[in-house]
Amino acid sequence: MSETAVLTRSPGRSLPQAAYTDPDVFAADLEHVWATGWLFAGHTCELDRPGAYLTRDVARDRVIVVRGEDGALHAHHDVCAHRGSRLTGADRGCVRAFVCPYHQWVYGTDGRLRAARHMGPDFPVDDYRLAPVAVREIEGLVFVSLAQDPPDIAGFAAALGPQLAPHRLAGTRVEARLHYRVAANWKTLVENNRECYHCRGSHPEFTLSNFDLGVHGDVRSHPRYEAALAEARARWARRGLPGEEVSFPGGAWYRIARLPLRDGFVTESLDGRPVAPFLGGLTAEDAGSLRIVGLPDMWAHANCDYAVTTRLSPVDAGTTDVDVCFLVRAEAGELDVDALTAVWRATSEQDWELCENNYAGIASRGYRPGPLSPVVEASVEGFLSWYTAALERGRTPA
Ligand code: FES
Ligand code: FE
């Protein structure tokens, strides 16, 4: 069966075609990868008052994340306890209560059913509620888990918290949002993110400010990059900015790494200059670019003046939705949004074109799994090992 073909892949090569195109494998991905760990949902700053909510789709599942009256975050399946209707019609908003559009059952932000008309005098309102989903907020980023028994997130929180804290993302606003529908399997997008083999050929804006080195497992070295990294780490240490790299420890699902930018660039902009006021208490010399990766669905860069997050949402085997958000200091005045988004709009769109082109070939009769570079694609291999291990665990009874 096709799932077996995925698991019998040759290490050091891309996956068999079915892993990318077969609806059965896609269903296994949802079950064993997307519904077992933690997923990136959105940002604390979008949930800044009681009733503020956002939604997070994963194929047929939708999670509502909402700030409760008590200030705590709640997450629920977006499924009415009556006959199952969706409650939300919008990606985000602010409500006093969730009112089902079908027969108007009313739910509090805590998910409890408050009112259900025409259900008879003895209807036990307290017995019904929206099914809860695990949710965690870490330094301005919000994560949810579709697992019944979510894995411990403490290691990720401990690694991410101190490194992201200086950027104070909780005190930001989303200044720009880009949404894309990409005609490629979600793994094609993650593989693309896990190597910078393609950067020099495809990302002229990105490589202005970034070395195309520093991706986890990329064993190339360059004296100019090594010197920049050593100098930046010494500077970050002097300023009390943690700079320790934590990359997929023990095969875990996350990476946090602060990397230096090229000389003359304090942020990822076209001219090297800031495109927004500094975040938190940072200054131009401080920050480099903090890279955050969460498998299977997110990556983010936090710079001294803006942060950019990318969230993947699988739709079907050959379709992935992507949301890219740009965060700036909440009290920043009017900004040049074109300048703010220039590097990551261009880079994202270049990547989606590469991914669609890649997927078109993968889906064709001529595709065979191909060899990964031991020099620059070790992190692709790392991702594929993580993925196949997750499928394997899912097939093995606990
Ligand atoms: Fe929601 Fe009927 S399905 S009130
Ligand atoms: Fe890229």
Side-chain angles (χ1 to χ4, degrees):
M1 88 182 239
S2 44
E3 214 181 304
T4 306
V6 177
L7 294 168
T8 55
R9 83 174 186 105
S10 311
R13 303 187 85 84
S14 59
L15 296 174
Q17 181 180 59
Y20 303 97
T21 59
D22 187 323
D24 290 344
V25 175
F26 182 71
D29 289 359
L30 295 178
E31 195 64 26
H32 303 314
V33 178
W34 287 80
T36 54
W38 288 90
L39 304 176
F40 175 56
H43 313 93
T44 295
C45 67
E46 301 174 272
L47 303 163
D48 57 351
R49 56 200 182 286
Y53 75 90
L54 57 82
T55 59
R56 202 279 180 255
D57 286 352
V58 179
R60 64 186 186 276
D61 293 315
R62 176 179 295 164
V63 175
I64 308 172
V65 185
V66 59
R67 182 72 60 187
E69 307 298 326
D70 54 358
L73 270 194
H74 302 273
H76 317 290
H77 282 280
D78 186 355
V79 180
C80 180
H82 179 217
R83 278 168 43 211
S85 173
R86 290 272 188 251
L87 302 170
T88 57
D91 292 346
R92 70 193 74 84
C94 192
V95 294
R96 298 178 88 104
F98 293 104
V99 181
C100 181
Y102 204 173
H103 315 98
Q104 290 77 47
W105 283 26
V106 179
Y107 300 88
T109 52
D110 61 1
R112 280 194 252 210
L113 182 61
R114 280 194 196 151
R117 62 202 183 93
H118 301 317
M119 292 301 291
D122 301 324
F123 181 67
V125 170
D126 291 344
D127 289 0
Y128 296 89
R129 56 160 300 138
L130 302 176
V133 171
V135 59
R136 272 294 301 271
E137 225 168 345
I138 303 170
E139 286 299 335
L141 302 179
V142 178
F143 297 84
V144 296
S145 178
L146 292 168
Q148 290 292 338
D149 185 15
D152 194 353
I153 197 174
F156 175 60
L160 175 62
Q163 300 224 44
L164 187 55
H167 298 262
R168 280 188 222 146
L169 293 193
T172 59
R173 68 174 191 245
V174 177
E175 182 69 359
R177 288 176 197 277
L178 306 174
H179 179 79
Y180 302 94
R181 174 153 286 196
V182 182
N185 183 267
W186 67 272
K187 295 186 287 294
T188 305
L189 279 71
V190 176
E191 289 174 8
N192 174 266
N193 172 260
R194 294 290 72 237
E195 49 91 355
C196 220
Y197 198 177
H198 67 274
C199 292
R200 190 168 296 180
S202 297
H203 292 321
E205 296 83 1
F206 177 85
T207 48
L208 286 172
S209 52
N210 284 284
F211 296 92
D212 67 344
L213 302 168
V215 170
H216 176 58
D218 186 329
V219 297
R220 289 174 298 170
S221 83
H222 188 285
R224 199 157 359 127
Y225 176 70
E226 299 305 327
L229 182 62
E231 189 278 320
R233 284 190 169 154
R235 177 160 40 83
W236 297 329
R238 281 198 303 277
R239 291 174 174 270
L241 265 187
E244 188 202 353
E245 176 172 342
V246 182
S247 284
F248 311 106
W253 56 281
Y254 54 84
R255 174 182 203 229
I256 295 112
R258 192 177 294 281
L259 300 183
L261 296 171
R262 284 185 188 274
D263 261 358
F265 284 80
V266 301
T267 187
E268 295 176 289
S269 64
L270 292 179
D271 63 7
R273 292 199 297 247
V275 289
F278 297 126
L279 294 172
L282 294 171
T283 64
E285 312 92 287
D286 271 342
S289 184
L290 184 69
R291 312 295 163 89
I292 304 163
V293 178
L295 301 176
D297 72 330
M298 72 92 69
W299 54 88
H301 287 200
N303 299 316
C304 65
D305 56 341
Y306 78 96
V308 55
T309 64
T310 301
R311 181 183 83 167
L312 308 185
S313 305
V315 176
D316 58 33
T319 314
T320 306
D321 279 348
V322 188
D323 292 285
V324 180
C325 286
F326 296 79
L327 280 63
V328 301
R329 199 177 177 110
E331 60 272 29
E334 197 176 326
L335 296 174
D336 179 345
V337 174
D338 287 344
L340 172 69
T341 60
V343 170
W344 275 99
R345 178 193 286 273
T347 304
S348 299
E349 292 174 6
Q350 290 151 0
D351 277 330
W352 313 151
E353 187 177 340
L354 292 171
C355 289
E356 290 191 341
N357 198 37
N358 187 178
Y359 191 70
I362 288 171
S364 77
R365 200 176 297 277
Y367 174 75
R368 300 288 180 277
L372 301 173
S373 161
V375 180
V376 288
E377 292 183 307
S379 203
V380 177
E381 172 64 22
F383 161 60
L384 295 178
S385 300
W386 175 87
Y387 164 72
T388 47
L391 281 193
E392 187 84 65
R393 271 194 305 278
R395 286 156 46 101
T396 310

